[in-house]
């Protein structure tokens, strides 16, 4: 079915009688049937104009009585300035920039052709892949030579293959507003004592990943690791992303209880969006989502942390520690090291109100010891958290009543 503003795709694809692939196809078909297309600002405005053709007074009256008529399922962005403004806030719905012939939010120097040039230069290096043609699900993720991935793409008939851990070493693609709001970038810039090259300690901590997927790939419901915000920019092909109407910790708890292929019971049901080349999609921390790839695609993305979302990041991380199966990867040392680095300098770059909000979440880690086996860097993170907790306590105890 064609909906204005969104495209079409076929979920009745061949699974080659593979039981695991058939199960995933059944899941995504049922999820898609229950989900609805996101209402965006432009689509709401168009529908309202058609409904109130007699004049603007009727429209204004209707909006006065029911402001929800223009409520968005995703927060639509139309320029960089709007993105900068929203990244300073705590948002509970994804941000979406839809590219058009006349507007673009980023001009990455990575294309479909430059990516394959990069892959051919690294034929003898390894990459982790998720191969849907392997019967046992626990064996589907495996390490392969890049040469084998290239050969797979050159076949006329291909099974679904996801390559999810290719580090972007071609060109930086992250939009400037995201770089400017990222706490790690802000702290790194603030901590420099010199802007010259002599004795410089500057290390760019920004990392980006490339997601290469064949047509018909499916990612069941999960949250991204580390409880960070996630940005995705489509370079080639399309993605259909599904997410709950209500995104909060209760939705994450439901995911932990129901598993990755059960979607009923989420408050407000499920929303879907189509991402095309040039589109930018940003998810808040711990956002449950599933993905279907209707065409061969290449997406660049990354994780980042903002002041407005640091409390929800800490809440999401604490919940994730005992339930890592709800994510598509395990917690690693660098997740804790990054957050320790943020906490060690957070009160230098954040406002007093932002510090208070983050301080209020410290008890989640300090009052409740965990029995889960976690990376060794968690000790460093807890030390940083205790130090931040003490500094905040001392600072706010000196405030006049």
């Amino acid at each position: 079915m064609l909906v204005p503003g969104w495209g079409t795709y076929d979920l009745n694809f061949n699974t080659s009688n593979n039981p695991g692939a058939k199960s995933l196809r059944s899941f995504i078909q049922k999820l898609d049937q229950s989900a609805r297309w996101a209402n965006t600002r432009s689509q709401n405005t168009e529908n309202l104009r058609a409904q109130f053709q007699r004049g603007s007074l009727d429209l204004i009256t209707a909006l006065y009585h029911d402001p929800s008529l223009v409520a968005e399922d995703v927060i639509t962005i139309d320029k960089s300035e709007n993105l900068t403004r929203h990244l300073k806030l705590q948002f509970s719905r994804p941000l979406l920039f839809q590219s058009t012939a006349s507007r673009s939010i980023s001009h990455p120097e990575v294309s479909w052709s430059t990516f394959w040039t990069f892959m051919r230069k690294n034929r003898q290096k390894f990459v982790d892949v998720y191969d849907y043609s392997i019967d046992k699900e626990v064996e589907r993720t495996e390490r392969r030579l890049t040469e084998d991935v290239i050969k797979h793409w050159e076949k006329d008939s291909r099974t679904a293959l996801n390559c999810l851990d290719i580090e972007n070493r071609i060109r930086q693609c992250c939009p400037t507003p995201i770089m400017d709001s990222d706490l790690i970038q802000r702290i790194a810039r603030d901590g420099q004592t010199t802007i010259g090259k002599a004795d410089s300690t500057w290390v760019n901590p920004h990392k980006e990943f490339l997601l290469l997927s064949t047509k018909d790939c499916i990612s069941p419901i999960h949250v991204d690791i580390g409880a960070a915000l996630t940005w995705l920019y489509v370079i080639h092909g399309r993605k259909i992303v599904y997410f709950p109407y209500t995104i909060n910790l209760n939705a994450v708890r439901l995911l932990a209880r129901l598993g990755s292929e059960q979607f009923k019971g989420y408050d407000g049901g499920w929303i879907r969006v189509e991402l095309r080349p040039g589109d930018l999609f940003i998810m808040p921390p711990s956002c449950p989502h599933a993905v279907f790839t209707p065409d061969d695609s290449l997406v660049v993305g990354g994780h980042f942390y903002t002041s407005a979302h640091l409390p929800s990041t800490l809440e999401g991380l604490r919940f994730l520690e005992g339930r890592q199966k709800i994510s598509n990867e395990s917690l690693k040392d660098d997740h804790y090291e990054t957050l320790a680095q943020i906490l060690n300098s957070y009160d230098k770059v954040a406002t007093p109100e932002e510090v208070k909000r983050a301080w209020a979440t410290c008890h989640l880690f300090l009052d409740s010891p965990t029995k889960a086996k976690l990376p060794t860097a968690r000790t460093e993170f807890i030390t940083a958290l205790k130090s931040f907790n003490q500094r905040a306590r001392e600072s706010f105890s000196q405030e006049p009543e």
Side-chain angles (χ1 to χ4, degrees):
M1 176 179 175
L2 180 62
V3 179
W6 307 108
T8 58
Y9 47 92
D10 182 14
L11 288 168
N12 193 30
F13 51 87
N14 182 20
T15 61
S16 302
N17 292 320
N18 180 288
K22 289 173 71 174
S23 174
L24 279 174
R25 184 182 64 179
S26 175
F27 153 74
I28 204 69
Q29 288 174 337
K30 292 175 182 177
L31 173 59
D32 190 80
Q33 289 170 2
S34 73
R36 61 176 175 81
W37 286 112
N39 292 322
T40 64
R41 185 187 307 133
S42 60
Q43 290 163 345
N44 282 340
T45 302
E46 207 173 297
N47 293 338
L48 286 171
R49 283 175 179 168
Q51 186 178 349
F52 296 94
Q53 293 179 352
R54 289 180 295 171
S56 58
L57 183 58
D58 290 338
L59 173 57
I60 293 171
T61 303
L63 290 175
Y64 175 79
H65 290 292
D66 186 6
S68 67
L69 290 172
V70 290
E72 297 179 288
D73 295 319
V74 288
I75 302 171
T76 48
I77 306 296
D78 57 9
K79 52 187 176 181
S80 293
E81 291 79 4
N82 286 348
L83 178 56
T84 297
R85 179 169 59 85
H86 278 94
L87 289 175
K88 293 179 180 178
L89 307 173
Q90 185 178 24
F91 49 90
S92 59
R93 303 197 177 198
L95 308 181
L96 172 65
F97 174 88
Q98 292 178 297
S99 179
T100 67
S102 61
R103 69 179 190 191
S104 174
I105 205 161
S106 182
H107 297 278
E109 297 181 38
V110 177
S111 65
W112 186 243
S113 60
T114 58
F115 169 77
W116 286 110
T117 299
F118 166 78
M119 293 287 278
R120 293 184 187 101
K121 287 181 179 178
N122 293 276
R123 289 177 180 271
Q124 299 308 309
K125 295 182 179 178
F126 289 91
V127 62
D128 286 342
V129 303
Y130 186 88
D131 189 341
Y132 292 80
S133 67
I134 297 175
D135 289 337
K136 293 184 179 180
E137 185 177 357
V138 294
E139 298 176 358
R140 287 181 182 171
T141 299
E142 60 180 21
R143 180 156 291 191
R144 291 187 188 174
L145 275 173
T146 304
E147 173 74 31
D148 294 332
V149 174
I150 295 171
K151 288 179 179 178
H152 184 87
W153 244 264
E154 291 173 345
K155 295 177 182 177
D156 293 331
S157 177
R158 291 177 278 128
T159 54
L161 191 72
N162 245 345
C163 303
L164 303 176
D165 74 335
I166 304 173
E167 192 170 62
N168 180 17
R169 301 176 185 176
I170 306 172
R171 294 286 188 277
Q172 180 177 296
C173 297
C174 184
T176 301
I178 294 176
M179 295 285 286
D180 290 343
S181 69
D182 185 6
L183 278 173
I184 284 294
Q185 295 288 326
R186 289 171 56 190
I187 288 169
R189 290 192 297 265
D190 184 74
Q192 295 305 301
T193 58
T194 173
I195 60 172
K197 290 188 291 185
D199 300 321
S200 174
T201 58
W202 170 254
V203 176
N204 187 353
H206 180 71
K207 292 182 180 180
E208 298 178 1
F209 50 78
L210 292 161
L211 309 177
L212 176 67
S213 308
T214 61
K215 178 182 178 181
D216 301 332
C217 278
I218 298 166
S219 293
I221 305 168
H222 65 282
V223 297
D224 286 343
I225 198 65
L229 293 89
T230 301
W231 65 273
L232 301 171
Y233 184 95
V234 181
I235 294 173
H236 180 87
R238 293 184 296 157
K239 290 284 187 181
I240 309 298
V241 182
Y242 306 81
F243 55 91
Y245 174 78
T246 304
I247 301 170
N248 54 27
L249 206 52
N250 284 336
V252 185
R253 291 190 183 101
L254 195 60
L255 168 60
R257 289 185 178 183
L258 298 180
S260 62
E261 294 186 26
Q262 298 294 327
F263 55 86
K264 294 182 179 180
Y266 286 82
D267 187 19
W270 286 77
I271 310 296
R272 61 176 176 238
V273 296
E274 177 193 35
L275 304 182
R276 305 171 184 174
D279 289 356
L280 174 69
F281 190 67
I282 301 175
M283 290 180 285
S286 304
C287 174
H289 60 285
V291 184
F292 173 64
T293 306
D295 309 304
D296 289 354
S297 75
L298 179 65
V299 173
V300 63
H303 303 302
F304 67 109
Y305 301 90
T306 66
S307 283
H309 278 288
L310 186 58
S312 53
T313 285
L314 294 173
E315 290 171 352
L317 177 66
R318 188 66 185 92
F319 184 83
L320 184 63
E321 285 186 327
R323 304 161 183 86
Q324 295 187 54
K325 289 184 179 180
I326 67 174
S327 181
N328 52 358
E329 58 179 306
S330 301
L331 284 165
K332 298 183 176 65
D333 279 327
D334 58 350
H335 297 120
Y336 288 105
E337 290 165 355
T338 297
L339 285 167
Q341 183 181 349
I342 289 173
L343 290 169
N344 281 331
S345 302
Y346 187 58
D347 35 341
K348 297 178 182 177
V349 299
T351 66
E353 187 60 33
E354 289 171 336
V355 171
K356 276 186 180 179
R357 290 180 60 244
W359 180 38
T361 62
C362 289
H363 71 93
L364 295 172
F365 295 89
L366 302 181
D367 298 345
S368 305
T370 180
K371 297 180 181 178
K373 186 177 181 181
L374 297 168
T376 55
R378 188 181 191 271
T379 303
E380 176 188 345
F381 164 73
I382 294 297
T383 300
L385 190 76
K386 288 179 178 178
S387 177
F388 168 71
N389 180 58
Q390 183 62 33
R391 295 195 310 272
R393 184 188 303 276
E394 292 172 356
S395 174
F396 295 125
S397 66
Q398 297 171 6
E399 288 186 349
E401 297 184 4

